[in-house]
Amino acid sequence: AYSQTMPSMWDSRSNGKEHPNLKWFKDAKFGIFIHWGLYSKLAGEWQSKRYYGSGEWLMYQAKISAKDYGLVAGEFNPLKFNATEWVDLIKSSGARYMVVTAKHHEGFAMFDSKVSDFSITKASPYGKDVMKELSGAAANAKLPFGFYYSQFLDWHEPNGGGNDWDFKQSKDYHKYYEEKSIPQLKELLTNYGKLGMVWFDMPGGLNKQETQFLVDDLHKLQPQTLFSSRVGQGLGDYMDFGDSEMPAEPIAKPWEAIYTFNDSWGYIAHDQNFKTSSDIIRLIATASSKGGNLMLNIGPDGDGSIPQANIDCLKSVGRWLKVNGESIYASIAGFIPAQPWGVTTSKPGKLYLHIFQRPNNGKLLVPGFSPKAISVSTLAGSVALKWRQTGEDLEVTLPNVPVTGLADEVLTVSYAGKTPDYQNSMP
Ligand code: FHN
């Protein structure tokens, strides 16, 4: 089972008081993460040398000085950016929230900030506040919207965390928080409408009491906004696991797994290991089968375009969710643990069987589940399937080909009686 002793960076509300506005988040199940900044223009290359690893860490990988890196802002001109197109794509993917990087570790504000001139409105030829456009387009589409903000790591600032290749003197982290981090967080919570969440990342420099003060101070601006657990010290409103991590067992607290489309969060020119739509559907179903959400990251390029492979894949995931969304949205963990053939999610009176691997003999066994099953069908239409009880188990005979014609088929077992509790893997 999953380790209960999570490092405080991942754990959420350890004080037990759950945030009152979590239902929409728990029901959403699928969100889209966007990493977009100056690193998107550099695309993993610096002075004609390729750096491997995640594109948004290029400044660190190449040990670029804040001065040299700052010059990139003067070339950042994403003329192909279209906020409505981005939001329309996210809606068509079936995602029910989005989070976008307002400021990553590079320190560059992708928004109009009175606090720092190192921003898209003051330091780039583009000059427009893309966060204002995105938050407006999301509000028009009624898509819950949040900002990612790197509250401690800031490689552009002498007192920011993380840059010891350029700023070698000792750092006054509290000064950084007072002069940049907290004022910018307040700008984001004041000037961009109602926020679904603030997605903090890589906490540091504050103790638990200081973090509590920060959380309380920011929550005064928008009490309904959820704070991710990477605000640190166990004080987030929902739990984010480590990158590309999935808990082994269902977790009772609201939680989110975060994965990226390829091998990098920020756009890089030389990486083509994109996940398939089936990979993403299985991540969504697996997270839902454990009671959590999947937030999937895409990395638009320096011109403001989303790679075509991401567009095609997100639309395919959206088509699957159009047919099978009932088994995902507002579902809870399936009470049958993961099986060789796939995972389960549930709702009162229903168990959804997510078939990743069709049994060769066409017999799908659901162990330890022998209700008076009323019917077994698929969400693509009420196709009655053959099933029988074998002692303690339910066995479903599958048709030769998937009924929906889609990969990753879902069967619905409707039954009488209350939903059993999650059964642990060991009988
Ligand atoms: O260092 C960041 C990284 O660049 C990326 O933003 C991920 C996304 O979860 N967060 C940190 C590493 O966990």
Side-chain angles (χ1 to χ4, degrees):
Y2 193 80
S3 149
Q4 294 310 314
T5 52
M6 295 167 211
S8 68
M9 174 153 119
W10 305 149
D11 200 1
S12 60
R13 286 277 173 107
S14 38
N15 59 12
K17 280 204 308 285
E18 195 172 85
H19 191 290
N21 185 33
L22 276 162
K23 183 173 184 335
W24 75 266
F25 175 77
K26 289 191 274 191
D27 287 351
K29 294 300 172 195
F30 177 36
I32 294 291
F33 208 174
I34 297 178
H35 273 67
W36 194 39
L38 296 182
Y39 45 82
S40 310
K41 174 160 183 58
L42 297 173
E45 299 181 7
W46 181 253
Q47 293 172 345
S48 324
K49 180 172 185 284
R50 278 185 181 182
Y51 286 81
Y52 287 89
S54 214
E56 73 287 357
W57 273 73
L58 181 65
M59 185 176 169
Y60 174 87
Q61 292 151 357
K63 297 294 182 279
I64 305 167
S65 71
K67 180 172 167 295
D68 289 348
Y69 193 90
L71 298 175
V72 179
E75 301 153 25
F76 191 68
N77 196 13
L79 296 175
K80 291 189 182 150
F81 169 68
N82 180 312
T84 306
E85 281 177 11
W86 285 23
V87 169
D88 288 350
L89 172 65
I90 290 169
K91 291 281 281 190
S92 71
S93 76
R96 297 228 163 148
Y97 60 96
M98 68 176 284
V99 172
V100 62
T101 48
K103 178 197 75 87
H104 204 270
H105 311 333
E106 64 182 8
F108 184 70
M110 292 289 281
F111 60 97
D112 184 30
S113 172
K114 303 279 174 285
V115 171
S116 158
D117 288 349
F118 191 47
S119 74
I120 192 167
T121 48
K122 299 205 180 69
S124 90
Y126 188 73
K128 289 182 284 186
D129 185 338
V130 291
M131 296 295 126
K132 183 75 84 177
E133 294 184 39
L134 273 172
S135 61
N140 293 340
K142 297 186 176 31
L143 179 72
F145 178 88
F147 286 122
Y148 165 111
Y149 189 84
S150 173
Q151 76 270 23
F152 172 59
L153 291 187
D154 190 321
W155 301 328
H156 187 76
E157 305 295 337
N159 286 315
N163 180 341
D164 55 11
W165 61 90
D166 201 10
F167 305 122
K168 300 197 188 299
Q169 84 289 0
S170 68
K171 308 211 170 142
D172 182 345
Y173 295 140
H174 287 99
K175 193 165 168 12
Y176 169 71
Y177 272 101
E178 281 147 30
E179 291 182 354
K180 181 169 179 180
S181 188
I182 294 170
Q184 284 196 333
L185 281 161
K186 289 187 172 178
E187 287 179 319
L188 294 171
L189 280 157
T190 304
N191 304 330
Y192 296 87
K194 197 160 163 275
L195 299 184
M197 63 269 276
V198 175
W199 210 91
F200 295 88
D201 201 8
M202 307 302 275
L206 298 181
N207 64 29
K208 178 145 189 170
Q209 190 187 21
E210 291 162 334
T211 306
Q212 184 66 67
F213 182 81
L214 170 70
V215 163
D216 295 345
D217 195 27
L218 295 179
H219 260 143
K220 282 180 200 142
L221 293 169
Q222 294 206 38
Q224 88 290 342
T225 302
L226 303 175
F227 292 170
S228 78
S229 61
R230 293 191 188 184
V231 67
Q233 304 288 346
L235 296 175
D237 298 311
Y238 63 91
M239 192 156 53
D240 269 300
F241 283 87
D243 296 351
S244 306
E245 260 186 14
M246 193 75 80
E249 300 285 349
I251 302 274
K253 288 181 174 178
W255 64 270
E256 181 186 59
I258 40 172
Y259 284 72
T260 187
F261 235 111
N262 49 13
D263 301 340
S264 171
W265 299 85
Y267 176 76
I268 49 179
H270 44 274
D271 167 76
Q272 298 304 328
N273 301 320
F274 289 133
K275 290 179 178 60
T276 64
S277 54
S278 182
D279 295 331
I280 293 157
I281 288 161
R282 293 177 183 200
L283 285 170
I284 295 170
T286 303
S288 298
S289 77
K290 298 169 192 276
N293 295 6
L294 172 80
M295 185 160 72
L296 177 79
N297 177 75
I298 57 176
D301 66 21
D303 296 333
S305 301
I306 295 174
Q308 191 58 44
N310 293 180
I311 294 172
D312 298 343
C313 201
L314 285 179
K315 287 185 174 171
S316 171
V317 171
R319 286 191 291 275
W320 183 88
L321 279 167
K322 249 196 183 35
V323 172
N324 298 292
E326 178 191 315
S327 69
I328 299 291
Y329 300 125
S331 68
I332 58 173
F335 43 83
I336 303 288
Q339 298 299 309
W341 46 261
V343 299
T344 63
T345 55
S346 68
K347 285 184 177 175
K350 290 195 185 289
L351 179 69
Y352 300 100
L353 314 180
H354 290 265
I355 306 172
F356 297 164
Q357 178 67 44
R358 288 169 67 83
N360 295 333
N361 65 0
K363 303 285 183 201
L364 199 73
L365 197 60
V366 187
F369 178 51
S370 54
K372 294 174 187 50
I374 296 171
S375 75
V376 181
S377 64
T378 76
L379 292 168
S382 54
V383 177
L385 295 162
K386 279 198 304 200
W387 54 274
R388 69 188 180 104
Q389 312 289 8
T390 55
E392 278 298 291
D393 306 327
L394 170 65
E395 179 191 86
V396 183
T397 302
L398 296 178
N400 312 351
V401 291
V403 178
T404 58
L406 285 173
D408 301 310
E409 192 164 20
V410 182
L411 301 188
T412 309
V413 183
S414 305
Y415 61 91
K418 85 177 192 58
T419 299
D421 290 336
Y422 175 76
Q423 299 158 16
N424 216 317
S425 312
M426 305 310 287

